[in-house]
Amino acid sequence: MSAAIEVVDAVRRYGTKTAVDGVGLTLEAGRITCLLGPSGCGKSTLLRMIAGLEPLDGGQILAAGEDISRLPPERRDIGLVFQDYALFPHLRIEDNVGFGLTHLAAAERRARVMDLLGSVRLADRARAYPGELSGGEQQRVALVRALARAPRTVLLDEPFSGLDHHLQAEVRAATLATLRQSGAAVLIVTHDAEEAMQMADDLALMSAGRILQRGTPEDCYREPVSIAAARLLGEAEVIPARIADGVAHTAFGTLPAPGIADGDAQAMLRPNALIPGPGAQAAVSHRRFVGQGWSARLRVDGTSVQVRLVDRPDDLMSVGIDPAQARVFG
């Protein structure tokens, strides 16, 4: 895979605040990268820097090895889809999609527009105005408008957050199919961990202006580099541990801890990390049925964690730790 976009040590400051702090990121052709982080972490600022809508205070943006840091947005060969879709309300759908295709002859432009609208099943709405479309339809129009010039890179900023929940899965699936067919390098900014893991070939976890971790969704979830990175991808309980000879001892059992020095440490447990079986005797409280199992609070010797269990637990149960759902940090 070739690097369509490479962000090198990018910095963006607003007065005394550093919104993007020395970020490095690579977007590859034909792959979807999700930039995941909480509101205010700098992820949308980074997207706007790549697009040319925000200047850099340090670092570079490279496209196929060429420095485009100072090029205006229209010369970067990048398609954009914003959270509010940014369709022109006074233009028909066909004119919105064809807005960037004025270099083509009229017949060729219309053929291209209708082909794009057909790819997202909206050819019959070509003469409608944006206000006559549903949110999901507007999102699909914004997507094909971004793809109209066949850019090598497409950037999407929280593209599904404005949709009703029942529409999100359907529109997301259609969007991903269209993006993969395009072959472009894709960056999707989101604050939704489940959404990011469903969409991404590659994840970049961002917090406080920095990238904490990059990798596949499975690697980032199973092998987080820090507790902060682990919490970006879902619920995570942290309990004290004591390392001795490569083993972490906790109130709920032991975990392998190779390479971690003896002494105090922390163990991160996912909600399904504690499993019934031989091990620690835990007191159970706050049982609640949650649809596909039970949520409960388990306590051993003053240490408590929130867990999810398949079966309704009794007031006292024996549990051990599943190492695949836990990680030790020194």
Side-chain angles (χ1 to χ4, degrees):
M1 292 292 182
S2 59
I5 293 288
E6 187 177 1
V7 181
V8 183
D9 298 329
V11 176
R12 180 65 174 133
R13 301 186 185 93
Y14 299 102
T16 59
K17 179 185 177 182
T18 302
V20 175
D21 190 4
V23 164
L25 184 66
T26 299
L27 307 180
E28 294 184 346
R31 293 184 69 81
I32 294 174
T33 299
C34 283
L35 181 60
L36 173 68
S39 297
C41 75
K43 57 188 186 296
S44 289
T45 300
L46 178 60
L47 178 145
R48 292 173 63 85
M49 293 165 72
I50 296 170
L53 302 175
E54 289 274 352
L56 277 73
D57 295 311
Q60 292 178 300
I61 308 292
L62 306 177
E66 176 188 354
D67 189 347
I68 62 169
S69 305
R70 292 177 176 81
L71 289 182
E74 63 271 17
R75 293 182 56 197
R76 295 197 179 197
D77 195 18
I78 290 174
L80 288 168
V81 179
F82 294 105
Q83 184 174 344
D84 62 359
Y85 312 138
L87 300 177
F88 301 115
H90 63 290
L91 296 181
R92 297 183 189 275
I93 296 308
E94 61 185 356
D95 296 322
N96 265 279
V97 175
F99 187 80
L101 299 177
T102 54
H103 62 292
L104 299 179
E108 187 179 356
R109 180 167 64 249
R110 177 164 176 76
R112 172 70 173 155
V113 167
M114 295 308 295
D115 183 56
L116 286 163
L117 288 173
S119 73
V120 291
R121 303 187 307 280
L122 287 175
D124 61 334
R125 307 306 307 274
R127 299 292 291 169
Y129 288 94
E132 299 170 8
L133 271 58
S134 69
E137 289 171 333
Q138 290 185 40
Q139 197 275 347
R140 284 182 276 160
V141 172
L143 175 63
V144 293
R145 184 179 66 176
L147 293 171
R149 293 177 62 93
R152 60 186 167 192
T153 305
V154 180
L155 311 178
L156 301 93
D157 192 1
E158 301 277 4
F160 312 110
S161 61
L163 299 176
D164 293 339
H165 184 72
H166 72 280
L167 272 178
Q168 288 181 355
E170 176 187 346
V171 176
R172 184 167 57 232
T175 297
L176 290 180
T178 303
L179 288 170
R180 292 194 186 282
Q181 187 177 20
S182 77
V186 177
L187 177 67
I188 302 176
V189 164
T190 180
H191 66 275
D192 186 318
E194 182 178 355
E195 181 175 87
M197 286 192 285
Q198 288 178 351
M199 295 188 298
D201 299 311
D202 304 298
L203 270 181
L205 307 181
M206 191 170 188
S207 179
R210 297 187 175 188
I211 301 294
L212 302 181
Q213 185 172 359
R214 290 177 287 179
T216 66
E218 182 176 4
D219 287 346
C220 289
Y221 186 86
R222 295 191 183 279
E223 299 291 338
V225 297
S226 66
I227 291 171
R231 284 177 167 156
L232 285 178
L233 287 175
E235 298 175 57
E237 294 270 1
V238 179
I239 61 174
R242 183 74 182 173
I243 309 298
D245 297 326
V247 177
H249 298 265
T250 79
F252 292 92
T254 61
L255 284 166
I260 300 179
D262 289 357
D264 292 334
Q266 293 178 304
M268 181 281 297
L269 307 181
R270 294 295 185 189
N272 52 350
L274 296 186
I275 52 178
Q281 293 296 306
V284 180
S285 62
H286 299 90
R287 283 181 295 253
R288 184 176 296 274
F289 181 68
V290 291
Q292 296 187 10
W294 290 80
S295 173
R297 198 82 188 165
L298 303 190
R299 179 180 295 274
V300 174
D301 296 333
T303 299
S304 68
V305 295
Q306 193 73 25
V307 301
R308 290 182 197 153
L309 302 165
V310 174
D311 299 315
R312 186 185 190 279
D314 295 326
D315 292 338
L316 189 68
M317 66 181 298
S318 179
V319 294
I321 303 176
D322 178 1
Q325 300 295 326
R327 186 158 174 82
V328 181
F329 297 96

